[in-house]
Amino acid sequence: MISSDIISSGGIDNILKDLYIDESQLEYQRKRYINALNRFTQLYGEGDVLIFSAPGRSEIGGNHTDHQNGKVLAASVNLDIIAVVRPVNSKESVSEEGSLSGHSGVNAGIIRIVSDDYPMLEVSLSDTDINKDEYSTTKALVKGVIAGFKKKGFKTGAFDAFITSDVPMGAGLSSSAAFETLIGTIQSHIYNAGKISAEDIAVIGQMAENEYFGKPCGLMDQMACSVGNMVYIDFNNKENPVVNKLDVDIKKFGYSLCITDTKGSHKDLTDDYADIRREMNAVASYFGQEVLRGITLKDILDNFKELQEKFGDRSILRAVHFIAENERVENEVNALISGNIDEFLRLVSKSGDSSYKYLQNIYSTKDTANQGVSLGLMMSEIFLGDNGACRVHGGGFAGTILAIVKDTAIDEYRRNMDKIFGDGASMILQIRHCGGVRII
């Protein structure tokens, strides 16, 4: 049985170093895990437990390309959600791997979760109907993952859990995708002997977010969180995307990933996100397709006037963004593999420019007075000069920007950004080498 003493004495330090990369985090992570174990015991009592982790993710290339069956470059990062878990045996939950730690009782068939300081959440394994009143809730995500497992014929089961997260909500690191990955990883290891693939867990997570949570996201977030490492993903076959892990570390080139939270709220932005997908799909429908993949710039130009009349100017701009961005992702990958960091940075800047001018997801037209992302990009260009590149991070409209900064300039860059957006607004990220995992 894992204990606080084992953790405090360094008994899992090798695991923690692998997950969090930065050895200066060891003491913090030991305390974090010990606090999580103690909180679980307070909630559910003594007994054997399992511990799981799922990372946040950083989008490096491919802004709003995934939902058009495009290409993306993303990475899991060393900020994660961890869960201390004990299985609960029931008629529905049969597991060779989890049964030794499981217990039977009045809560059989009920998933119980306490997340940090939030009240306990209870979800019945038998309640997997979509409920629009539960949109944008944690309960919806749990129900959606359970429903997805059942739909694919996988086993499901109940558990008690205490969950704590270092993935900031609304910071563009995909806290919801990390949570979906965590729940899927728990179900895989406890009730399916750990045999559910990372790709299947990602697909289930996306379904949960689309149908149960009510957010029309693509598959990039879930795939990056679930698979882990830096990944180049081609969604041309959305049922069976091609995922390639890249053995590339930008630290070797003397650069680091740095995100800055510009403090904008993602509240009431669902329609803005949905409009991107809707407008891209509208242009695709003109050519008899559901998505833009395969449509060329020549196709757009040859049919420009009719597209403009039918769908308006912004739809054309967003379609052209996708076409160029999709090609740009492949070029970014080739630049990294060949070691051409200058070309890679140039392409990152081009991606950012395209998101601003063509995709237009830097601020919401419903609230033009608040443009934190615009300010963050402007300040980054001023502070960075020739020492890096910057772009919007994630879905856009509010929240976070990504900068790839020369290590010799990163301390000054962060100090300057924190002066604008507040202490701790900017943070250095490390690329984590694994996705959702059972770590103990």
Side-chain angles (χ1 to χ4, degrees):
M1 174 179 173
I2 188 67
S3 68
S4 298
D5 289 342
I6 291 173
I7 296 174
S8 62
S9 65
I12 66 166
D13 277 5
N14 286 338
I15 295 171
L16 298 180
K17 289 177 187 176
D18 189 51
L19 290 176
Y20 304 108
I21 321 300
D22 183 355
E23 291 195 22
S24 68
Q25 286 199 25
L26 275 178
E27 184 176 354
Y28 163 74
Q29 292 297 344
R30 289 190 206 111
K31 290 179 180 178
R32 181 180 178 225
Y33 277 67
I34 289 169
N35 290 339
L37 280 171
N38 292 339
R39 185 77 173 105
F40 181 93
T41 301
Q42 291 171 1
L43 290 164
Y44 306 111
E46 298 280 353
D48 289 347
V49 295
L50 306 171
I51 302 181
F52 296 86
S53 165
R57 72 96 183 98
S58 177
E59 173 201 292
I60 299 170
N63 199 211
H64 282 277
T65 54
D66 54 341
H67 52 72
Q68 298 300 306
N69 293 14
K71 302 171 183 178
V72 300
L73 177 62
S76 60
V77 298
N78 61 334
L79 298 174
D80 69 343
I81 304 178
I82 63 171
V84 182
V85 178
R86 181 179 298 141
V88 177
N89 297 332
S90 71
K91 291 181 180 179
E92 290 189 68
S93 56
V94 180
S95 167
E96 292 179 3
E97 186 175 353
S99 60
L100 292 177
S101 300
H103 67 89
S104 299
V106 295
N107 295 311
I110 302 292
I111 293 172
R112 299 191 298 174
I113 296 173
V114 172
S115 295
D116 288 316
D117 296 326
Y118 289 94
M120 181 176 287
L121 168 69
E122 295 190 354
V123 179
S124 171
L125 291 174
S126 61
D127 178 18
T128 55
D129 292 335
I130 295 172
N131 183 346
K132 290 186 177 180
D133 291 337
E134 295 171 348
Y135 274 6
S136 302
T137 67
T138 302
K139 184 175 184 178
L141 293 179
V142 177
K143 285 176 64 174
V145 172
I146 297 302
F149 266 67
K150 289 184 175 182
K151 186 176 181 180
K152 284 184 171 287
F154 302 144
K155 294 176 182 178
T156 61
F159 59 86
D160 293 335
F162 173 73
I163 292 175
T164 183
S165 177
D166 274 354
V167 183
M169 294 179 64
L173 295 170
S174 295
S175 56
S176 58
F179 183 83
E180 294 149 15
T181 296
L182 184 72
I183 301 301
T185 303
I186 291 169
Q187 289 294 319
S188 173
H189 281 272
I190 295 179
Y191 296 108
N192 296 272
K195 294 181 180 179
I196 311 303
S197 71
E199 291 80 4
D200 275 334
I201 290 172
V203 170
I204 290 169
Q206 184 206 20
M207 182 279 296
E209 191 147 347
N210 289 174
E211 299 180 18
Y212 284 76
F213 194 75
K215 182 180 177 181
C217 68
L219 186 55
M220 179 193 68
D221 295 351
Q222 290 80 7
M223 197 65 74
C225 291
S226 188
V227 172
N229 211 337
M230 185 180 285
V231 286
Y232 168 44
I233 311 171
D234 188 338
F235 291 106
N236 193 35
N237 180 351
K238 62 183 179 181
E239 301 301 324
N240 188 28
V242 178
V243 181
N244 294 295
K245 289 191 175 185
L246 300 182
D247 187 20
V248 175
D249 185 353
I250 64 170
K251 292 290 290 181
K252 294 178 181 177
F253 300 108
Y255 286 81
S256 293
L257 297 178
C258 183
I259 63 164
T260 299
D261 184 359
T262 66
K263 309 301 184 183
S265 171
H266 285 82
K267 185 179 180 182
D268 300 326
L269 291 176
T270 298
D271 289 344
D272 292 282
Y273 298 129
D275 281 347
I276 292 177
R277 189 169 187 169
R278 178 183 59 78
E279 291 175 12
M280 287 184 175
N281 288 351
V283 174
S285 71
Y286 176 85
F287 297 98
Q289 296 187 185
E290 291 185 5
V291 295
L292 287 170
R293 180 69 180 261
I295 295 169
T296 66
L297 179 60
K298 184 176 184 302
D299 293 330
I300 300 293
L301 296 178
D302 287 347
N303 297 276
F304 183 86
K305 277 299 181 184
E306 192 166 354
L307 288 170
Q308 187 181 38
E309 290 170 3
K310 281 181 174 290
F311 308 117
D313 297 345
R314 192 172 69 175
S315 295
I316 295 175
L317 288 163
R318 285 175 163 172
V320 170
H321 163 81
F322 168 79
I323 292 166
E325 184 80 345
N326 206 44
E327 181 179 345
R328 191 155 37 237
V329 169
E330 187 170 350
N331 292 335
E332 286 175 346
V333 171
N334 291 335
L336 283 174
I337 291 173
S338 66
N340 190 343
I341 189 65
D342 291 335
E343 173 65 4
F344 171 70
L345 293 172
R346 185 189 73 82
L347 291 167
V348 169
S349 294
K350 289 284 288 183
S351 173
D353 290 344
S354 182
S355 291
Y356 210 147
K357 293 189 292 187
Y358 304 149
L359 184 60
Q360 298 181 24
N361 68 330
I362 306 304
Y363 61 91
S364 173
T365 56
K366 295 180 294 188
D367 185 15
T368 57
N370 293 299
Q371 296 193 33
V373 173
S374 306
L375 287 175
L377 294 172
M378 179 184 75
M379 293 300 178
S380 290
E381 290 179 353
I382 292 170
F383 297 144
L384 283 174
D386 295 329
N387 290 317
C390 62
R391 66 189 289 274
V392 66
H393 188 256
F397 297 109
T400 312
I401 64 165
L402 170 70
I404 300 174
V405 187
K406 192 174 288 185
D407 287 339
T408 55
I410 198 162
D411 289 341
E412 183 178 1
Y413 171 76
R414 292 184 66 200
R415 281 195 298 271
N416 285 327
M417 295 300 281
D418 283 358
K419 287 179 183 177
I420 303 296
F421 297 105
D423 290 344
S426 64
M427 64 181 78
I428 299 172
L429 300 178
Q430 304 285 352
I431 295 174
R432 169 167 147 166
H433 304 300
C434 61
V437 289
R438 172 184 169 180
I439 59 175
I440 301 173

